[in-house]
Amino acid sequence: MFLSFFPKPKLFFLSFALWALVCVLGWYLAVQDLGSTLSLGSLFGVHFPDALAQDADQAAKMAFASAQEFAVDVWLYQYMLVCYALFIGAWVAYGGQKWAKWSVIGSGLIVFITWFQVQVSVMINEWYGSFYDLIQKALSAPNSITLTQFYSQLSTFAIIALVAITVSVLNNFFVSHYVFRWRTAMNDYYTSKWQQVRQIEGASQRIQEDTMRFANIVESLGVRFLDSIMTLLAFLPVLWGLSSYVTTLPFIGEVPQALVFVAILWAIIGTTLLAVAGIRLPGLEFKNQRVEAAYRKELVYGEDFEDRAEPAKLAELFANVRKNYFRLYFNYLYFNVVRYGYLQAGVLVPLIALGPSIVAGAFTLGIMQRISNAFGQVESSFQFLVNSWTTIVELLSIHKRLKAFEAAINDQPLPSVDQEFLAKQEENS
């Protein structure tokens, strides 16, 4: 699954994680402070006027601050491009594998674009604060803002949204091609080993259908996982800073960085509950695919041989399908009770946490919007397992089936379920 597409997969992913850690630590410990002198952004002097400026002096100060922020942003992009170029260049040169350009360069590009999309979300979160503060000012003091200021804020959002939509569409197009190349690599690898794997139950299905499903799930689940990590890295500092407005939690009292504490605690509770409730699902999904494959295979044999696919045999095989599905439905019943109950309760968690601060009038409407949005982003990132559990279960079951191919190719013992199936085949023959 991975060896066919990535050069030395274990080393590749381990080196990526370590390199990312080194780059992130390097940025916060030393490199970030060099932006004032090395950033190309300082050459352009770009600034963005703030609609809430009271006078010319305040507008000038805000413009200067925005120019400094722009220079820091450009410096971050410079730094990231250098980090990516070093990592990708080293692996393209060292990997020496057929699909290295797609797997290495493509992976780097997807990570970079995902990070950029998250940064756009951070910009939108900042826009929410300015916009709702502007609305609050207008509603509390009629005619205190101009129509130009109002439409200027809307045009800012329109520009950010246009960039976000364009990048998202192009990224989805590229990811689809990337994942199909991965499926092609798996297909080429498995078909080249056909003589070693043809005796495995449902071999044709595993090569055709399971690789297709694996690619489709990786396309959706992998991108969501990457987005969750990037969102967490981007919004956790934002939520950390906004926690200064919320120092007291109901039933608990004063807690340092209260919003971060609540987000982490609630995510841990949800992940634990879902893991316990859904612990049996991967095995049941795997058995479900096995009984479906056995039923399908008998039908296929019946197309060519008159003595196969007899009604009694088909009834027996379909009874196994029915039994496994009913068992699966029952397990999903209590799993979904826990899952949906937890997600609905999560709607109230940030409002409960903000209750004392709202009553005390500790922040403006704009700050509240920024807190709610940032909390939602961080909470959603922490709850990746909760929101994706059913898809992860399906992926685990497909992974189990494809591992049987790799066991046969590497002359290793087959998984127990496949050994049982082969033993039954021998008995029937």
Side-chain angles (χ1 to χ4, degrees):
M1 285 170 281
F2 294 92
L3 187 63
S4 61
F5 190 59
F6 294 94
K8 301 176 178 60
K10 291 183 179 179
L11 182 60
F12 176 78
F13 289 111
L14 178 61
S15 64
F16 176 79
L18 293 176
W19 180 247
L21 179 62
V22 169
C23 292
V24 170
L25 292 177
W27 170 259
Y28 285 108
L29 295 178
V31 179
Q32 184 177 16
D33 297 332
L34 303 176
S36 58
T37 56
L38 298 178
S39 174
L40 295 177
S42 60
L43 301 177
F44 299 102
V46 178
H47 66 273
F48 308 96
D50 195 298
L52 296 179
Q54 301 290 335
D55 50 41
D57 289 339
Q58 186 178 7
K61 292 178 181 178
M62 290 181 175
F64 177 75
S66 64
Q68 286 184 315
E69 184 178 349
F70 177 76
V72 172
D73 290 340
V74 172
W75 173 234
L76 177 58
Y77 279 102
Q78 290 176 237
Y79 176 69
M80 289 190 66
L81 288 173
V82 171
C83 293
Y84 274 99
L86 291 175
F87 180 82
I88 291 173
W91 268 104
V92 169
Y94 172 71
Q97 194 248 22
K98 176 182 177 181
W99 294 97
K101 290 183 178 179
W102 269 99
S103 59
V104 176
I105 300 177
S107 298
L109 185 60
I110 291 172
V111 172
F112 184 84
I113 293 176
T114 303
W115 175 83
F116 177 80
Q117 290 176 305
V118 170
Q119 292 302 310
V120 171
S121 299
V122 174
M123 293 176 63
I124 292 177
N125 187 58
E126 295 295 324
W127 177 86
Y128 273 120
S130 299
F131 180 71
Y132 281 99
D133 279 344
L134 187 71
I135 295 297
Q136 185 178 33
K137 179 181 178 182
L139 295 178
S140 59
N143 298 318
S144 59
I145 68 169
T146 65
L147 202 57
T148 301
Q149 289 176 306
F150 180 78
Y151 286 132
S152 175
Q153 288 290 86
L154 295 182
S155 64
T156 299
F157 177 82
I159 293 172
I160 298 174
L162 180 62
V163 172
I165 292 171
T166 303
V167 172
S168 179
V169 170
L170 294 176
N171 184 54
N172 289 341
F173 177 79
F174 177 78
V175 169
S176 298
H177 275 272
Y178 171 89
V179 172
F180 191 83
R181 263 64 175 192
W182 191 348
R183 180 190 173 187
T184 303
M186 286 191 294
N187 179 79
D188 292 348
Y189 181 76
Y190 289 141
T191 53
S192 69
K193 308 292 184 180
W194 176 251
Q195 293 303 321
Q196 295 171 257
V197 299
R198 61 189 304 272
Q199 80 279 7
I200 302 298
E201 169 269 322
S204 58
Q205 179 198 357
R206 299 196 194 195
I207 290 180
Q208 184 270 324
E209 182 178 339
D210 287 350
T211 56
M212 176 192 66
R213 294 171 65 197
F214 180 86
N216 291 338
I217 292 176
V218 167
E219 180 178 357
S220 60
L221 188 65
V223 170
R224 291 208 307 270
F225 174 73
L226 188 60
D227 182 72
S228 295
I229 296 297
M230 294 293 184
T231 299
L232 193 61
L233 292 175
F235 275 94
L236 197 57
V238 174
L239 192 64
W240 186 277
L242 292 173
S243 291
S244 61
Y245 294 98
V246 182
T247 58
T248 303
L249 293 176
F251 314 115
I252 298 177
E254 292 190 6
V255 177
Q257 306 304 326
L259 295 176
V260 177
F261 170 80
V262 172
I264 294 175
L265 179 62
W266 186 241
I268 291 175
I269 292 173
T271 302
T272 303
L273 287 175
L274 267 293
V276 172
I279 194 170
R280 297 185 60 200
L281 293 179
L284 291 175
E285 284 283 1
F286 175 76
K287 291 180 180 178
N288 194 57
Q289 292 179 20
R290 189 183 65 172
V291 296
E292 286 279 19
Y295 182 60
R296 183 189 303 109
K297 188 172 183 177
E298 188 67 23
L299 289 172
V300 171
Y301 277 139
E303 294 176 356
D304 298 321
F305 304 100
E306 293 183 1
D307 61 336
R308 301 299 295 266
E310 297 179 349
K313 181 63 174 178
L314 292 179
E316 177 188 350
L317 292 174
F318 191 76
N320 293 333
V321 174
R322 177 179 180 274
K323 179 181 178 181
N324 201 77
Y325 266 108
F326 284 7
R327 186 185 296 119
L328 196 62
Y329 295 156
F330 175 74
N331 280 268
Y332 267 112
L333 174 65
Y334 64 78
F335 172 80
N336 285 331
V337 169
V338 176
R339 180 188 180 195
Y340 293 123
Y342 170 78
L343 292 176
Q344 290 301 316
V347 175
L348 298 176
V349 168
L351 296 176
I352 293 173
L354 294 176
S357 300
I358 293 175
V359 173
F363 42 69
T364 64
L365 180 61
I367 295 297
M368 181 178 174
Q369 289 294 327
R370 290 178 59 195
I371 290 175
S372 298
N373 188 50
F375 186 90
Q377 295 281 0
V378 171
E379 182 185 36
S380 177
S381 297
F382 277 127
Q383 293 174 354
F384 170 78
L385 293 177
V386 174
N387 295 318
S388 307
W389 191 260
T390 53
T391 308
I392 292 173
V393 166
E394 184 179 1
L395 181 61
L396 290 175
S397 65
I398 295 172
H399 179 267
K400 285 184 177 183
R401 289 171 58 81
L402 293 179
K403 285 294 290 183
F405 270 21
E406 298 177 6
I409 292 170
N410 298 321
D411 294 325
Q412 296 175 349
L414 294 177
S416 58
V417 287
D418 287 290
Q419 291 180 8
E420 292 173 7
F421 181 83
L422 291 176
K424 289 181 179 179
Q425 276 191 322
E426 292 178 357
E427 291 176 4
N428 294 333
S429 60

